[in-house]
Amino acid sequence: MANAQRPSWLAAGLACRCPQCGKGRLFHGFLTLAPECEACGLDFAFADAGDGPAVFVILFAGFVVVGLALIVEFLYRPPFWLHALLWGPLILLVTLGPLRPFKSILIALQYHHDAAEGRLDRGARADREGRP
Ligand SMILES: [Zn+2]
């Protein structure tokens, strides 16, 4: 497919769509990838975001929730039950909400930069070790 028709990695990632065509859905469930794009047939077997999305979400959510909790504590000194009431739902919102788009963005970046797991070139290794 020509690059002119390819969506940007950010647009495809935020929309949770196929990084090649931007039309097919990337996910089959909440975080489960579809086996292939329903629009262009791109095999999603290459996609492996690993723990990357969770790490970014944890850093983001920790910054937001801990920062707000500290500000509220120092300014208003509310009882602990109010902290639990405030931050419990916010934690769910700032962790589960961006998890899917973060995973989609990382997969779109992986596709656009043709990133893959590192592999040893067995031929070069055999030459270096003097094996045939
Ligand atoms: Zn597609």
Side-chain angles (χ1 to χ4, degrees):
M1 183 173 278
N3 276 349
Q5 298 171 340
R6 185 186 290 182
S8 75
W9 59 266
L10 186 60
L14 287 175
C16 299
R17 296 292 171 172
C18 168
Q20 180 170 271
C21 68
K23 295 176 183 157
R25 285 178 291 185
L26 188 61
F27 294 104
H28 186 60
F30 180 63
L31 289 174
T32 307
L33 289 178
E36 62 186 26
C37 176
E38 61 200 9
C40 70
L42 175 66
D43 186 6
F44 292 145
F46 72 91
D48 183 15
D51 295 335
V55 168
F56 285 117
V57 166
I58 287 168
L59 292 173
F60 167 75
F63 177 77
V64 170
V65 174
V66 172
L68 288 174
L70 286 173
I71 289 171
V72 168
E73 175 61 26
F74 285 120
L75 290 180
Y76 305 108
R77 297 206 180 269
F80 287 122
W81 65 265
L82 188 57
H83 276 293
L85 193 67
L86 286 173
W87 313 127
L90 184 64
I91 287 170
L92 291 176
L93 190 72
V94 296
T95 52
L96 296 179
L99 195 53
R100 196 173 185 196
F102 266 80
K103 184 172 183 176
S104 180
I105 286 172
L106 287 181
I107 289 171
L109 281 170
Q110 186 179 10
Y111 177 77
H112 280 265
H113 294 288
D114 201 21
E117 218 173 281
R119 292 187 192 99
L120 290 175
D121 183 3
R122 295 212 180 270
R125 185 176 178 191
D127 288 345
R128 197 173 52 244
E129 294 174 355
R131 290 185 285 141

XYZ file of all heavy atoms in Angstrom, residues 16-113:
762
model
N -7.545 3.385 17.436
C -7.459 1.931 17.628
C -7.797 1.206 16.324
O -8.565 0.228 16.323
C -8.360 1.462 18.767
S -7.944 2.183 20.355
N -7.218 1.687 15.232
C -7.457 1.102 13.911
C -6.175 0.496 13.360
O -5.078 0.709 13.888
C -7.976 2.173 12.948
C -9.312 2.752 13.334
C -10.375 1.725 13.195
N -11.648 2.186 13.766
C -12.780 1.526 13.635
N -12.823 0.380 12.996
N -13.875 1.986 14.178
N -6.322 -0.209 12.270
C -5.197 -0.866 11.614
C -4.147 0.170 11.224
O -4.480 1.196 10.631
C -5.717 -1.585 10.365
S -4.434 -2.170 9.261
N -2.855 -0.081 11.528
C -1.820 0.901 11.196
C -1.533 1.001 9.700
O -0.930 1.964 9.260
C -0.597 0.402 11.961
C -0.844 -1.028 12.192
C -2.323 -1.211 12.277
N -1.972 0.026 8.921
C -1.704 0.065 7.484
C -2.782 0.829 6.711
O -2.483 1.659 5.873
C -1.587 -1.348 6.917
C -1.308 -1.384 5.427
C -0.960 -2.765 4.966
O 0.213 -3.149 4.973
N -1.980 -3.526 4.594
N -4.054 0.549 7.003
C -5.132 1.179 6.231
C -5.923 2.202 7.055
O -6.578 3.071 6.486
C -6.075 0.127 5.668
S -7.059 -0.735 6.913
N -5.908 2.093 8.374
C -6.647 3.028 9.216
C -8.138 2.755 9.258
O -8.889 3.547 9.820
N -8.581 1.644 8.692
C -10.021 1.360 8.639
C -10.430 0.182 9.524
O -11.420 0.256 10.221
C -10.436 1.094 7.190
C -10.275 2.327 6.321
C -10.590 2.016 4.882
C -10.334 3.277 4.053
N -10.085 2.982 2.669
N -9.705 -0.903 9.443
C -10.073 -2.088 10.208
C -9.789 -1.929 11.681
O -8.871 -1.212 12.075
N -10.598 -2.607 12.502
C -10.402 -2.532 13.951
C -9.175 -3.340 14.353
O -8.956 -4.430 13.857
C -11.639 -3.063 14.669
C -12.806 -2.095 14.634
C -13.982 -2.683 15.309
N -14.456 -3.788 14.453
C -15.551 -4.494 14.679
N -16.266 -4.259 15.734
N -15.920 -5.443 13.853
N -8.411 -2.787 15.282
C -7.199 -3.456 15.746
C -7.508 -4.491 16.819
O -6.845 -5.512 16.912
C -6.219 -2.414 16.291
C -4.823 -2.866 16.668
C -4.083 -3.430 15.461
C -4.032 -1.716 17.257
N -8.540 -4.225 17.619
C -8.821 -5.096 18.766
C -10.058 -5.949 18.531
O -11.031 -5.509 17.928
C -9.029 -4.249 20.020
C -7.792 -3.527 20.443
C -7.643 -2.175 20.203
C -6.765 -4.197 21.070
C -6.497 -1.501 20.585
C -5.610 -3.544 21.463
C -5.479 -2.186 21.219
N -9.974 -7.162 19.059
C -11.101 -8.084 19.031
C -11.883 -7.985 20.335
O -13.080 -8.134 20.365
C -10.576 -9.500 18.811
C -11.620 -10.526 18.614
N -12.525 -10.464 17.581
C -11.909 -11.647 19.304
C -13.328 -11.507 17.659
N -12.974 -12.235 18.696
N -11.191 -7.739 21.435
C -11.797 -7.536 22.752
C -11.293 -6.226 23.317
O -10.932 -5.329 22.554
N -11.250 -6.121 24.649
C -10.771 -4.869 25.239
C -9.299 -4.644 24.918
O -8.910 -3.561 24.475
C -10.995 -4.882 26.756
C -10.526 -3.615 27.427
C -11.108 -2.403 27.127
C -9.504 -3.646 28.351
C -10.679 -1.233 27.727
C -9.060 -2.494 28.965
C -9.657 -1.279 28.653
N -8.467 -5.656 25.136
C -7.043 -5.535 24.818
C -6.541 -6.673 23.938
O -5.352 -6.753 23.648
C -6.218 -5.505 26.107
C -6.338 -4.236 26.941
C -5.582 -4.391 28.247
C -5.847 -3.023 26.186
N -7.444 -7.547 23.504
C -7.062 -8.665 22.654
C -7.036 -8.221 21.204
O -8.002 -7.643 20.705
C -8.072 -9.821 22.809
O -8.197 -10.143 24.189
C -7.617 -11.030 22.032
N -5.919 -8.484 20.546
C -5.797 -8.084 19.147
C -6.603 -8.996 18.250
O -6.726 -10.200 18.496
C -4.338 -8.147 18.705
C -3.409 -7.099 19.266
C -1.995 -7.339 18.768
C -3.873 -5.715 18.890
N -7.150 -8.426 17.193
C -7.785 -9.228 16.152
C -6.681 -9.975 15.413
O -5.534 -9.520 15.365
C -8.543 -8.315 15.198
N -6.973 -11.120 14.830
C -5.917 -11.858 14.125
C -5.416 -11.126 12.881
O -4.231 -11.214 12.547
C -6.573 -13.183 13.763
C -8.026 -13.007 13.992
C -8.225 -11.855 14.900
N -6.302 -10.421 12.200
C -5.902 -9.663 11.010
C -6.876 -8.519 10.793
O -7.969 -8.493 11.361
C -5.870 -10.560 9.781
C -7.221 -11.151 9.440
C -7.157 -12.152 8.299
O -6.104 -12.758 8.088
O -8.186 -12.294 7.633
N -6.486 -7.592 9.942
C -7.339 -6.441 9.650
C -8.517 -6.899 8.805
O -8.350 -7.613 7.813
C -6.546 -5.374 8.904
S -7.546 -3.977 8.393
N -9.699 -6.466 9.204
C -10.899 -6.855 8.461
C -11.040 -6.086 7.154
O -11.794 -6.473 6.275
C -12.140 -6.636 9.330
C -12.329 -5.181 9.727
C -13.227 -5.004 10.936
O -13.581 -5.988 11.582
O -13.557 -3.830 11.214
N -10.286 -4.990 6.998
C -10.394 -4.179 5.783
C -9.307 -4.516 4.758
O -9.594 -4.701 3.583
C -10.335 -2.696 6.132
N -8.038 -4.595 5.206
C -6.946 -4.812 4.248
C -6.282 -6.174 4.405
O -5.449 -6.540 3.589
C -5.898 -3.706 4.370
S -4.939 -3.766 5.885
N -6.587 -6.913 5.454
C -6.033 -8.247 5.635
C -4.653 -8.293 6.256
O -4.024 -9.346 6.264
N -4.156 -7.174 6.775
C -2.831 -7.171 7.414
C -2.836 -8.123 8.604
O -3.702 -8.046 9.472
C -2.476 -5.751 7.878
C -1.177 -5.606 8.665
C 0.029 -5.922 7.770
C -1.065 -4.220 9.256
N -1.872 -9.026 8.619
C -1.743 -9.984 9.716
C -1.138 -9.257 10.920
O -0.054 -8.692 10.822
C -0.836 -11.131 9.285
C -0.765 -12.233 10.320
O -1.509 -12.169 11.319
O 0.038 -13.160 10.126
N -1.834 -9.288 12.043
C -1.373 -8.581 13.233
C -0.424 -9.424 14.081
O -0.157 -9.086 15.224
C -2.552 -8.126 14.089
C -3.385 -7.049 13.451
C -4.749 -7.015 13.643
C -2.808 -6.072 12.667
C -5.529 -6.024 13.061
C -3.568 -5.078 12.070
C -4.933 -5.056 12.270
N 0.087 -10.519 13.519
C 1.001 -11.368 14.278
C 2.295 -10.636 14.629
O 2.968 -10.987 15.588
C 1.319 -12.630 13.497
N 2.664 -9.612 13.865
C 3.885 -8.852 14.136
C 3.761 -8.025 15.412
O 4.750 -7.651 16.018
C 4.193 -7.889 12.978
C 3.253 -6.710 12.922
C 3.567 -5.537 13.586
C 2.046 -6.790 12.252
C 2.698 -4.457 13.553
C 1.174 -5.715 12.211
C 1.496 -4.550 12.866
N 2.529 -7.724 15.811
C 2.284 -6.777 16.893
C 2.542 -7.417 18.249
O 1.919 -8.410 18.610
C 0.850 -6.268 16.824
N 3.486 -6.856 18.969
C 3.771 -7.297 20.327
C 4.221 -6.085 21.127
O 5.390 -5.720 21.103
C 4.842 -8.375 20.331
C 5.111 -8.899 21.729
O 4.283 -8.646 22.630
O 6.158 -9.547 21.929
N 3.262 -5.454 21.785
C 3.590 -4.252 22.562
C 4.172 -4.614 23.920
O 4.731 -3.758 24.593
C 2.343 -3.394 22.728
N 4.062 -5.863 24.334
C 4.611 -6.295 25.617
C 4.002 -5.520 26.780
O 2.800 -5.268 26.817
N 4.858 -5.130 27.716
C 4.412 -4.380 28.885
C 4.462 -2.870 28.670
O 4.179 -2.105 29.591
C 5.285 -4.727 30.093
C 5.131 -6.168 30.516
O 4.071 -6.736 30.230
O 6.053 -6.707 31.146
N 4.840 -2.441 27.484
C 4.996 -1.017 27.204
C 3.780 -0.169 27.539
O 3.909 0.837 28.252
N 2.587 -0.536 27.066
C 1.416 0.293 27.372
C 1.153 0.405 28.870
O 0.850 1.486 29.373
C 0.262 -0.430 26.672
C 0.901 -1.282 25.654
C 2.253 -1.629 26.162
N 1.301 -0.698 29.594
C 1.045 -0.674 31.041
C 2.051 0.224 31.756
O 1.689 0.955 32.681
C 1.098 -2.092 31.606
N 3.293 0.211 31.313
C 4.312 1.061 31.945
C 3.969 2.533 31.748
O 4.002 3.325 32.696
C 5.709 0.734 31.370
C 6.726 1.776 31.791
C 6.143 -0.648 31.793
N 3.629 2.914 30.519
C 3.281 4.316 30.264
C 2.044 4.725 31.053
O 1.970 5.828 31.594
C 3.063 4.559 28.771
C 4.337 4.604 27.993
C 4.596 3.659 27.014
C 5.284 5.585 28.233
C 5.770 3.689 26.295
C 6.464 5.633 27.518
C 6.713 4.677 26.545
N 1.050 3.846 31.117
C -0.180 4.163 31.838
C 0.096 4.290 33.338
O -0.419 5.191 33.994
C -1.268 3.104 31.549
C -2.418 3.209 32.530
C -1.775 3.271 30.128
N 0.933 3.406 33.880
C 1.270 3.487 35.308
C 1.973 4.803 35.621
O 1.653 5.476 36.608
C 2.151 2.284 35.717
C 1.305 1.009 35.774
C 2.822 2.526 37.055
C 2.123 -0.254 35.891
N 2.912 5.191 34.766
C 3.620 6.459 34.995
C 2.663 7.642 34.911
O 2.697 8.551 35.744
C 4.756 6.613 33.990
C 5.923 5.636 34.155
C 6.896 5.781 33.006
C 6.614 5.854 35.478
N 1.807 7.637 33.911
C 0.839 8.720 33.734
C -0.148 8.765 34.901
O -0.379 9.822 35.504
C 0.107 8.517 32.400
C -1.099 9.357 32.216
C -0.980 10.708 31.925
C -2.377 8.815 32.328
C -2.103 11.499 31.748
C -3.495 9.589 32.148
C -3.362 10.943 31.863
N -0.728 7.623 35.236
C -1.733 7.570 36.302
C -1.114 7.921 37.652
O -1.727 8.635 38.449
C -2.364 6.174 36.363
N 0.088 7.448 37.905
C 0.755 7.772 39.162
C 1.006 9.259 39.295
O 0.778 9.841 40.362
N 1.443 9.880 38.224
C 1.691 11.315 38.244
C 0.400 12.081 38.540
O 0.375 12.968 39.399
C 2.280 11.751 36.899
C 2.500 13.219 36.777
C 3.583 13.820 37.394
C 1.618 14.008 36.056
C 3.788 15.183 37.288
C 1.813 15.366 35.940
C 2.902 15.960 36.563
N -0.679 11.726 37.873
C -1.950 12.445 38.031
C -2.549 12.198 39.411
O -2.874 13.137 40.143
C -2.949 12.022 36.920
C -4.334 12.565 37.214
C -2.462 12.518 35.564
N -2.696 10.935 39.783
C -3.425 10.608 41.015
C -2.624 10.999 42.260
O -3.176 11.625 43.178
C -3.806 9.109 41.048
C -4.418 8.729 42.385
C -4.764 8.795 39.911
N -1.365 10.674 42.295
C -0.561 11.022 43.473
C -0.431 12.536 43.594
O -0.526 13.091 44.701
C 0.819 10.336 43.422
C 1.734 10.846 44.522
C 0.656 8.834 43.537
N -0.255 13.207 42.466
C -0.166 14.670 42.503
C -1.442 15.293 43.035
O -1.397 16.170 43.919
N -2.575 14.852 42.532
C -3.849 15.399 43.010
C -4.102 15.046 44.478
O -4.598 15.878 45.250
C -5.000 14.901 42.139
C -5.071 15.504 40.735
C -6.165 14.835 39.916
C -5.318 17.006 40.812
N -3.782 13.829 44.862
C -3.988 13.422 46.253
C -3.134 14.261 47.202
O -3.608 14.677 48.276
C -3.667 11.935 46.421
N -1.905 14.542 46.817
C -1.043 15.379 47.662
C -1.577 16.805 47.746
O -1.598 17.408 48.826
C 0.384 15.374 47.123
C 1.176 14.092 47.363
C 2.512 14.145 46.638
C 1.374 13.854 48.852
N -2.013 17.348 46.625
C -2.547 18.716 46.624
C -3.783 18.807 47.519
O -3.897 19.710 48.359
C -2.877 19.153 45.179
C -1.585 19.385 44.404
C -3.731 20.417 45.185
C -1.796 19.598 42.916
N -4.696 17.851 47.373
C -5.919 17.861 48.186
C -5.585 17.668 49.660
O -6.157 18.329 50.532
C -6.915 16.784 47.678
C -8.042 16.568 48.665
C -7.453 17.196 46.321
N -4.653 16.779 49.954
C -4.292 16.534 51.348
C -3.698 17.784 51.994
O -4.064 18.162 53.104
C -3.298 15.364 51.442
C -2.754 15.102 52.831
C -3.827 14.728 53.852
O -4.877 14.204 53.448
O -3.609 14.983 55.056
N -2.794 18.444 51.300
C -2.139 19.621 51.894
C -3.074 20.826 51.977
O -2.968 21.625 52.899
C -0.870 19.985 51.128
C 0.262 19.048 51.411
C 0.845 18.316 50.403
C 0.740 18.889 52.713
C 1.886 17.439 50.667
C 1.777 18.014 52.982
C 2.350 17.285 51.956
N -3.986 20.966 51.023
C -4.884 22.118 51.032
C -6.085 21.939 51.957
O -6.493 22.872 52.640
C -5.379 22.422 49.608
C -4.344 22.983 48.644
C -4.970 23.223 47.283
C -3.738 24.268 49.188
N -6.690 20.716 51.963
C -7.981 20.542 52.666
C -7.927 19.559 53.824
O -8.843 19.528 54.635
C -9.058 20.111 51.667
C -9.179 21.063 50.509
C -8.735 20.712 49.240
C -9.725 22.335 50.674
C -8.839 21.585 48.165
C -9.830 23.221 49.613
C -9.385 22.838 48.365
O -9.483 23.713 47.322
N -6.935 18.707 53.894
C -6.817 17.673 54.924
C -8.147 16.925 55.127
O -8.705 16.903 56.240
C -6.357 18.275 56.237
C -4.989 18.899 56.154
C -4.311 18.910 57.496
N -3.001 19.513 57.377
C -1.889 18.817 57.125
N -1.959 17.523 56.979
N -0.729 19.429 57.026
N -8.655 16.310 54.084
C -9.917 15.570 54.205
C -9.698 14.247 54.951
O -8.560 13.778 55.062
C -10.321 15.312 52.756
C -9.031 15.263 52.029
C -8.120 16.229 52.732
N -10.761 13.619 55.464
C -10.619 12.304 56.109
C -10.223 11.244 55.064
O -10.409 11.437 53.862
C -12.015 12.037 56.684
C -12.930 12.936 55.939
C -12.132 14.102 55.477
N -9.678 10.129 55.564
C -9.179 9.098 54.655
C -10.277 8.494 53.789
O -10.032 8.119 52.653
C -8.434 8.007 55.440
C -7.104 8.476 55.937
C -6.809 8.455 57.280
C -6.132 8.944 55.054
C -5.581 8.900 57.740
C -4.911 9.392 55.507
C -4.630 9.376 56.857
N -11.503 8.390 54.342
C -12.578 7.802 53.536
C -12.866 8.670 52.310
O -13.223 8.163 51.252
C -13.844 7.584 54.368
C -14.487 8.854 54.879
C -14.298 9.429 56.087
C -15.402 9.697 54.164
N -15.027 10.577 56.188
C -15.731 10.766 55.025
C -15.989 9.651 52.909
C -16.602 11.784 54.660
C -16.872 10.664 52.544
C -17.171 11.717 53.410
N -12.670 9.990 52.433
C -12.890 10.850 51.279
C -11.778 10.672 50.239
O -12.034 10.704 49.034
C -12.977 12.314 51.720
C -13.394 13.301 50.629
C -14.740 12.905 50.043
C -13.456 14.700 51.180
N -10.551 10.430 50.723
C -9.469 10.115 49.776
C -9.818 8.861 48.984
O -9.666 8.834 47.758
C -8.146 9.888 50.526
C -7.402 11.148 50.825
N -6.855 11.927 49.855
C -7.111 11.745 52.001
C -6.252 12.965 50.410
N -6.400 12.874 51.723
N -10.278 7.826 49.677
C -10.629 6.574 48.996
C -11.768 6.797 48.012
O -11.754 6.258 46.902
C -11.003 5.506 50.026
N -12.715 7.592 48.409
C -13.868 7.865 47.544
C -13.442 8.668 46.306
O -13.943 8.450 45.213
C -14.930 8.642 48.337
C -16.301 8.743 47.699
C -16.960 7.374 47.637
C -17.169 9.709 48.490
N -12.509 9.585 46.481
C -12.066 10.409 45.349
C -11.133 9.651 44.406
O -11.310 9.655 43.196
C -11.326 11.658 45.860
C -12.156 12.757 46.484
C -11.230 13.824 47.078
C -13.077 13.370 45.455
N -10.119 9.003 44.974
C -9.033 8.474 44.135
C -9.303 7.085 43.615
O -8.712 6.693 42.599
C -7.708 8.542 44.891
C -7.507 9.882 45.534
C -7.208 10.117 46.838
C -7.638 11.175 44.928
N -7.143 11.468 47.076
C -7.400 12.145 45.917
C -7.952 11.615 43.646
C -7.454 13.506 45.663
C -8.011 12.986 43.393
C -7.752 13.910 44.389
N -10.157 6.323 44.256
C -10.490 4.981 43.756
C -11.057 5.021 42.344
O -10.507 4.399 41.429
N -12.153 5.766 42.136
C -12.695 5.850 40.770
C -11.741 6.529 39.784
O -11.672 6.142 38.620
C -13.971 6.682 40.938
C -14.329 6.543 42.366
C -13.046 6.370 43.106
N -10.979 7.528 40.274
C -10.046 8.208 39.367
C -8.945 7.263 38.901
O -8.527 7.303 37.737
C -9.435 9.438 40.053
C -8.513 10.266 39.163
C -9.289 10.873 37.999
C -7.822 11.350 39.967
N -8.491 6.394 39.802
C -7.469 5.414 39.413
C -7.993 4.513 38.304
O -7.305 4.250 37.317
C -7.023 4.586 40.641
C -6.157 5.437 41.560
C -6.264 3.338 40.211
C -5.870 4.805 42.905
N -9.241 4.047 38.454
C -9.821 3.198 37.403
C -9.920 3.967 36.081
O -9.638 3.439 35.011
C -11.201 2.697 37.823
C -11.212 1.686 38.962
C -12.644 1.338 39.339
C -10.446 0.433 38.565
N -10.316 5.222 36.163
C -10.485 6.038 34.961
C -9.161 6.300 34.246
O -9.068 6.142 33.027
C -11.146 7.365 35.342
C -11.619 8.241 34.214
C -12.852 7.623 33.558
C -11.940 9.629 34.725
N -8.127 6.668 34.987
C -6.859 7.028 34.343
C -5.974 5.823 34.031
O -4.930 5.995 33.404
C -6.065 8.065 35.165
C -6.813 9.368 35.268
C -5.670 7.515 36.508
N -6.359 4.630 34.469
C -5.585 3.452 34.081
C -6.287 2.672 32.960
O -5.684 2.337 31.962
C -5.341 2.504 35.263
O -6.576 2.197 35.893
C -4.383 3.111 36.259
N -7.576 2.394 33.132
C -8.268 1.598 32.119
C -8.602 2.415 30.880
O -8.633 1.888 29.777
C -9.552 0.993 32.711
C -9.328 0.003 33.845
C -10.664 -0.513 34.380
C -8.458 -1.157 33.394
N -8.828 3.706 31.043
C -9.185 4.552 29.902
C -8.099 4.631 28.836
O -8.348 4.322 27.674
N -6.870 5.016 29.201
C -5.842 5.170 28.166
C -5.104 3.890 27.797
O -4.281 3.910 26.892
C -4.878 6.184 28.787
C -5.048 6.033 30.244
C -6.464 5.603 30.468
N -5.384 2.767 28.456
C -4.611 1.549 28.193
C -4.755 1.071 26.743
O -3.771 0.740 26.080
C -5.045 0.450 29.163
C -4.130 -0.755 29.289
C -2.703 -0.342 29.589
C -4.642 -1.687 30.366
N -5.973 1.076 26.245
C -6.202 0.607 24.873
C -5.561 1.539 23.830
O -4.856 1.054 22.940
C -7.710 0.470 24.661
C -8.073 -0.341 23.479
C -9.562 -0.557 23.466
N -9.867 -1.444 22.361
C -11.053 -1.615 21.870
N -12.074 -0.983 22.394
N -11.251 -2.420 20.870
N -5.774 2.854 23.917
C -5.093 3.729 22.952
C -3.566 3.671 23.050
O -2.887 3.723 22.028
C -5.609 5.129 23.303
C -6.864 4.923 24.040
C -6.749 3.593 24.701
N -3.020 3.529 24.253
C -1.568 3.425 24.389
C -1.072 2.171 23.692
O -0.065 2.210 22.979
C -1.165 3.389 25.870
C -0.823 4.733 26.443
C -1.808 5.607 26.833
C 0.491 5.141 26.582
C -1.512 6.847 27.353
C 0.819 6.379 27.097
C -0.195 7.241 27.489
N -1.760 1.054 23.876
C -1.348 -0.185 23.213
C -1.449 -0.037 21.703
O -0.563 -0.448 20.962
C -2.222 -1.354 23.700
C -1.796 -2.690 23.128
C -2.534 -3.845 23.757
C -2.025 -5.165 23.201
N -2.639 -6.320 23.853
N -2.521 0.590 21.256
C -2.710 0.795 19.824
C -1.636 1.709 19.241
O -1.119 1.458 18.149
C -4.108 1.383 19.597
O -4.338 1.590 18.244
N -1.284 2.767 19.953
C -0.245 3.685 19.475
C 1.101 2.962 19.396
O 1.840 3.107 18.423
C -0.159 4.924 20.393
C -1.358 5.837 20.139
C 1.148 5.679 20.182
C -1.488 6.983 21.120
N 1.424 2.158 20.403
C 2.704 1.443 20.368
C 2.749 0.439 19.219
O 3.783 0.270 18.576
C 2.966 0.747 21.705
C 3.337 1.680 22.851
C 3.603 0.894 24.109
C 4.561 2.511 22.495
N 1.627 -0.210 18.931
C 1.588 -1.148 17.801
C 1.705 -0.386 16.481
O 2.399 -0.820 15.558
C 0.312 -2.006 17.863
C 0.434 -2.985 19.033
C 0.083 -2.749 16.558
C -0.834 -3.741 19.351
N 1.042 0.770 16.383
C 1.154 1.584 15.164
C 2.594 2.054 14.970
O 3.109 2.043 13.850
C 0.195 2.769 15.240
N 3.261 2.461 16.051
C 4.669 2.860 15.949
C 5.544 1.674 15.542
O 6.460 1.819 14.734
C 5.149 3.429 17.286
C 4.748 4.858 17.578
C 5.080 5.216 19.022
C 5.461 5.809 16.632
N 5.240 0.509 16.098
C 5.988 -0.696 15.753
C 5.844 -0.989 14.258
O 6.819 -1.334 13.589
C 5.457 -1.860 16.590
C 6.220 -3.143 16.457
C 5.628 -4.235 17.336
O 4.560 -4.108 17.908
N 6.347 -5.324 17.430
N 4.646 -0.830 13.737
C 4.414 -1.090 12.317
C 5.113 -0.036 11.448
O 5.783 -0.370 10.472
C 2.913 -1.104 12.026
C 2.616 -1.305 10.562
C 2.712 -2.557 9.990
C 2.279 -0.231 9.749
C 2.468 -2.746 8.647
C 2.032 -0.402 8.407
C 2.127 -1.665 7.861
O 1.893 -1.835 6.526
N 4.963 1.225 11.789
C 5.514 2.288 10.958
C 7.036 2.306 10.949
O 7.645 2.725 9.981
C 4.975 3.650 11.408
C 3.598 3.901 10.881
N 3.366 4.603 9.738
C 2.387 3.502 11.315
C 2.065 4.636 9.485
N 1.447 3.982 10.442
N 7.656 1.863 12.027
C 9.116 1.837 12.075
C 9.670 0.451 11.795
O 10.873 0.223 11.957
C 9.612 2.348 13.424
C 9.307 3.802 13.632
N 9.968 4.787 12.959
C 8.372 4.417 14.393
C 9.475 5.965 13.318
N 8.504 5.761 14.185
